[in-house]
Amino acid sequence: MRIVREQTVYQLTFLPRFFPVNAYLVEEEDSLTVIDAGLPHSVKGILAAARRIGKPVARIVLTHAHGDHIGALDALKQALPEAKVFISERDARLLGGDVSLDGNEPSTPIRGDVPKPGAVKTKPDVLLRDGDRVGSLLAVATPGHTPGSMSFLDTRNRALIAGDAMQTRGGVAVSGQVKPWFPFPAMATWNKQAALDSVRKLKELRPSLLAVGHGRMLKNPAQAIDRAIAEAERHFTEKRSEPTHASNRS
């Protein structure tokens, strides 16, 4: 496990050389917030990092309900029974194994490693909506990777933990845009247009730091976010301009 600190954010990276999966600790005055629970074996590293910082974990926050972000959730909750678990109201359904779509949602199928019904024993204590607060963090609805994906902005310093709304591994990209050196977030993305709209929303927050589920943290990420948005927009334009070939029958 690799640990990197920027401002109030500690990035814990598991399997950093091969398939980097990030969990985060956000430091409050008297406690810590875990953001994402990584892989099943991540529990020891998360607890060890919290002990090293020397503050209790009061909150476990999930950006979305894919397996590489909830893997250690049950073990963490067992080790930290007083910690409250937070997830978006929408992705709480995914956490329970429900992959159905709402009538007003795009009909693209939900992708990625969603748990089977009943596989996750932990029940969330708080269901989040856009604009809610979790300690110093502002919850920001950023659907696209999953229908209920959320990002979290530290209101003290504008550090942004964006889950899989973006990636930096293999190149900075909006969720759903394939980076050949690390294509996995794109392969697990539910809706590319929603993902692009969400990153446009994140840009307006003017983050000082971008921290994502896969890849290193970026300081002063505005230009990188702009380039990622422009790349995603270009891909959409190119796709719309592709000719459609209808077969002619005689």
Side-chain angles (χ1 to χ4, degrees):
M1 181 183 72
R2 181 180 68 215
I3 303 178
V4 177
R5 180 183 182 183
E6 293 288 352
Q7 302 178 45
T8 51
V9 178
Y10 296 78
Q11 183 189 65
L12 317 180
T13 304
F14 304 91
L15 306 178
R17 294 185 180 180
F18 304 105
F19 189 95
V21 172
N22 298 325
Y24 292 91
L25 291 169
V26 176
E27 188 171 7
E28 299 278 359
E29 184 174 344
D30 58 355
S31 61
L32 297 170
T33 300
V34 172
I35 299 185
D36 285 339
L39 300 163
H41 68 263
S42 301
V43 58
K44 292 182 179 180
I46 294 171
L47 294 174
R51 287 194 297 269
R52 189 180 308 178
I53 297 168
K55 294 182 179 180
V57 173
R59 295 157 293 274
I60 302 168
V61 178
L62 304 172
T63 62
H64 62 290
H66 279 157
D68 55 340
H69 294 256
I70 63 169
L73 176 60
D74 282 343
L76 277 174
K77 182 62 175 176
Q78 184 174 6
L80 304 165
E82 300 303 316
K84 289 188 175 181
V85 175
F86 299 72
I87 193 171
S88 75
E89 185 175 36
R90 178 63 183 86
D91 258 31
R93 283 165 46 189
L94 292 189
L95 190 66
D98 178 0
V99 296
S100 64
L101 293 168
D102 291 337
N104 62 344
E105 292 176 336
S107 59
T108 47
I110 295 174
R111 297 180 170 90
D113 181 18
V114 176
K116 300 294 184 184
V120 176
K121 306 305 180 186
T122 301
K123 305 300 180 185
D125 299 291
V126 181
L127 301 182
L128 294 170
R129 295 184 178 183
D130 190 45
D132 285 348
R133 293 289 294 265
V134 184
S136 297
L137 301 172
L138 174 68
V140 183
T142 47
H145 190 66
T146 66
S149 288
M150 296 201 93
S151 300
F152 297 91
L153 182 75
D154 192 324
T155 56
R156 298 167 294 182
N157 51 31
R158 310 201 72 78
L160 177 68
I161 298 94
D164 284 353
M166 300 188 74
Q167 68 183 77
T168 62
R169 176 71 166 185
V172 181
V174 174
S175 184
Q177 303 303 310
V178 176
K179 289 295 182 180
W181 288 104
F182 199 75
F184 309 106
M187 294 165 60
T189 295
W190 163 59
N191 187 273
K192 295 179 182 181
Q193 182 62 63
L196 174 56
D197 292 341
S198 288
V199 174
R200 289 177 178 141
K201 180 179 178 180
L202 292 178
K203 172 189 172 180
E204 298 304 314
L205 297 176
R206 296 178 289 106
S208 65
L209 179 76
L210 176 63
V212 297
H214 305 281
R216 293 180 180 272
M217 294 186 285
L218 290 181
K219 292 184 284 188
N220 302 314
Q223 290 186 351
I225 293 173
D226 284 342
R227 288 193 296 270
I229 290 172
E231 181 180 357
E233 290 174 338
R234 185 169 62 253
H235 288 169
F236 277 111
T237 300
E238 291 171 353
K239 186 173 182 180
R240 283 195 296 266
S241 64
E242 289 177 357
T244 57
H245 299 285
S247 60
N248 295 320
R249 296 183 181 181
S250 57

